[in-house]
Amino acid sequence: MHRTTLVQERAPAGMLGRVAAAFRTLAVAGAPLGAVPGGTVAAGAGPHAPAFLAAVPFALAVASPRPLIN
């Protein structure tokens, strides 16, 4: 079975590399932005608190009865 992502299906073939690079860039650039509030939460509530805090929206998305993207 061959599986593709939504990005692979919707991006034009000639632009797929650029689209993938843009997503990768945003993911890497977003890590420090998430580290700042994560460090603040960890300093106030303990080192495991950011993981538990991140688990809440993840669990809600998994439990959602409908897809979040059409």
Side-chain angles (χ1 to χ4, degrees):
M1 175 195 296
H2 189 269
R3 301 189 86 157
T4 59
T5 66
L6 184 64
V7 172
Q8 289 172 324
E9 288 179 358
R10 299 214 175 157
M15 295 289 291
L16 187 56
R18 291 179 182 149
V19 171
F23 271 93
R24 197 167 39 251
T25 300
L26 292 173
V28 170
L33 297 175
V36 171
T40 304
V41 169
H48 300 293
F52 289 122
L53 193 60
V56 172
F58 178 77
L60 291 173
V62 169
S64 176
R66 63 183 176 88
L68 298 176
I69 299 174
N70 290 336

